């Protein structure tokens, strides 16, 4: 998913037999393990098995953020020895998991995203999401219900993939197609955007915080990054976000996160006119959280029949 977290968790082959040894002068000839601050730190800095080391290297790309990294940087993040990282990267090139983009710099191939898409296949269908959104609309006395998911090809953004709005349309909402492609895709605007942003890794949060506020955003949008960060902490504490005219004037909202296997995948958004809902009541908040929880349950991994 672009820089999505799901892609960074895709499985990789565990065999590196036949991988070339580092050339003289290549990173890691000293053979000494590093003590990093990333996922490989702790009592097993070199990894308890080869498979664990491979997973640590792949996870490091998500932990570090950015487009490409060198073996030394990955070793520092994982706590692995430079030469171990170098051999894993070389093997991963032949297995089409990593690619060399410059001298000494590597990144995940798009095949990692393909594995993630395969992992997500059959998790959620349109009938399931429509049922949850329509039930939310009924429970909130005609609220407009939307399903936003992390956008797969546009970095740390969101896109609307389903909705239950009755006979309403964009014109009635005071929105144009241009607004949909600018304001509502930003993760720093709106209750659903901030809900997703609250559960993304720190490196992705920093990327979003560095982006400008969309010009068409509503009067209630968070323009101060400190206030925005505080709102993200509140989302994580309460499990929902409330938006007051963030994306457009005259509309308030409530959103709750959709989590699959511990990773943020999207958010359910409930939208109502400010004149009808000046403050979101408890029943609206609970109904929105329940709709998100239902979609989270459908997406969660389950044991197969022979594993149960």
């Amino acid at each position: 998913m672009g820089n999505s977290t799901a892609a960074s968790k895709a499985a990789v082959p565990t065999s590196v037999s036949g991988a070339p040894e580092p050339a003289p002068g290549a990173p890691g000839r000293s053979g000494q393990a590093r003590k990093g601050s990333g996922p490989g730190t702790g009592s097993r800095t070199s990894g308890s098995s080869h498979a664990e080391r491979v997973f640590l290297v792949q996870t490091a790309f998500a932990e570090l953020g950015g487009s490409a990294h060198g073996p030394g940087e990955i070793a520092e993040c994982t706590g692995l020895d430079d030469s171990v990282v170098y051999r894993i990267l070389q093997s991963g090139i032949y297995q089409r998991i990593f690619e060399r983009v410059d001298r000494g710099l590597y990144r995940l191939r798009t095949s990692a995203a393909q594995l993630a898409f395969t992992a997500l296949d059959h998790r959620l269908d349109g009938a399931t999401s429509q049922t949850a959104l329509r039930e939310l609309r009924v429970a909130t006395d005609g609220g407009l219900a939307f399903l936003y998911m992390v956008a797969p090809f546009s970095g740390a953004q969101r896109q609307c993939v389903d909705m239950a709005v009755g006979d309403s349309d964009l014109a009635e909402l005071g929105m144009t197609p241009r607004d949909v492609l600018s304001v509502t895709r930003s993760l720093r605007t709106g209750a659903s955007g901030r809900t997703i942003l609250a559960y993304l890794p720190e490196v992705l949060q920093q990327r979003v915080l560095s982006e400008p506020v969309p010009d068409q955003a509503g009067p209630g949008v968070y323009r101060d990054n400190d206030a925005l960060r505080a709102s993200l902490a509140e989302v994580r504490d309460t499990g929902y976000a409330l938006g007051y005219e963030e994306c457009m004037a005259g509309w308030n909202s409530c959103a709750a996160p959709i989590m699959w296997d511990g990773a943020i995948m999207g958010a359910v958004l409930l939208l109502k006119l400010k004149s009808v809902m000046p403050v979101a009541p408890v029943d609206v908040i609970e109904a929105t959280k329940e709709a998100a929880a239902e979609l989270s349950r459908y997406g969660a991994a389950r044991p197969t029949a022979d594993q149960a």
Side-chain angles (χ1 to χ4, degrees):
M1 298 184 191
N3 287 330
S4 95
T5 56
S8 69
K9 295 183 180 180
V12 298
T14 59
S15 173
V16 295
S17 58
E21 294 290 331
R29 300 298 294 181
S30 66
Q32 294 181 352
R34 291 172 176 263
K35 293 184 182 295
S37 59
T41 58
S43 61
R44 298 177 296 176
T45 57
S46 63
S48 62
S49 68
H50 174 67
E52 182 179 350
R53 297 184 186 105
V54 174
F55 289 127
L56 288 174
V57 170
Q58 187 174 6
T59 303
F61 283 93
E63 295 286 336
L64 291 168
S67 59
H69 304 284
E73 188 179 10
I74 296 172
E76 189 70 28
C77 176
T78 60
L80 297 173
D81 181 73
D82 292 31
S83 62
V84 172
V85 172
Y86 183 79
R87 289 195 296 271
I88 291 172
L89 290 172
Q90 295 305 306
S91 179
I93 290 175
Y94 299 127
Q95 300 293 344
R96 302 179 62 82
I97 297 300
F98 308 116
E99 62 181 346
R100 186 187 293 109
V101 296
D102 200 353
R103 184 176 178 83
L105 292 178
Y106 303 80
R107 68 184 178 193
L108 289 170
R109 288 184 63 99
T110 53
S111 58
Q114 185 177 17
L115 290 173
F117 292 147
T118 303
L120 295 176
D121 191 25
H122 304 305
R123 290 292 185 100
L124 189 64
D125 59 42
T128 299
S129 61
Q130 263 296 299
T131 298
L133 294 178
R134 287 175 179 173
E135 289 177 353
L136 175 59
R137 178 169 165 78
V138 171
T140 56
D141 194 24
L144 307 179
F146 299 85
L147 172 59
Y148 279 92
M149 302 296 280
V150 178
F153 298 113
S154 56
Q157 296 182 338
R158 59 181 162 142
Q159 75 181 96
C160 182
V161 299
D162 203 356
M163 64 182 73
V165 297
D167 296 329
S168 303
D169 56 26
L170 291 177
E172 180 181 340
L173 299 179
M175 298 176 63
T176 67
R178 184 185 298 271
D179 294 330
V180 173
L181 294 177
S182 59
V183 180
T184 63
R185 71 180 180 182
S186 172
L187 293 183
R188 63 176 300 148
T189 60
S192 63
R194 290 188 294 108
T195 294
I196 295 172
L197 183 60
Y199 294 94
L200 286 178
E202 177 68 21
V203 291
L204 295 181
Q205 289 185 359
Q206 291 301 326
R207 173 178 173 175
V208 173
L209 289 171
S210 68
E211 298 172 354
V213 175
D215 293 337
Q216 301 89 346
V221 69
Y222 285 84
R223 298 187 179 276
D224 179 78
N225 278 350
D226 289 337
L228 179 55
R229 289 190 188 93
S231 79
L232 301 183
E234 184 176 358
V235 170
R236 291 190 294 270
D237 288 341
T238 63
Y240 66 91
L242 299 178
Y244 298 100
E245 300 185 278
E246 287 188 51
C247 288
M248 51 197 154
W251 291 87
N252 290 342
S253 56
C254 177
I258 299 172
M259 309 290 292
W260 290 357
D261 300 336
I264 182 68
M265 298 304 298
V268 170
L269 175 71
L270 190 283
L271 193 65
K272 299 194 81 168
L273 282 167
K274 177 183 177 180
S275 59
V276 176
M277 189 178 73
V279 177
V282 173
D283 60 336
V284 166
I285 295 172
E286 292 303 317
T288 304
K289 290 173 63 177
E290 176 53 35
E294 178 69 10
L295 296 180
S296 295
R297 286 191 287 270
Y298 273 95
R302 304 177 185 83
T304 58
D306 56 350
Q307 292 175 321

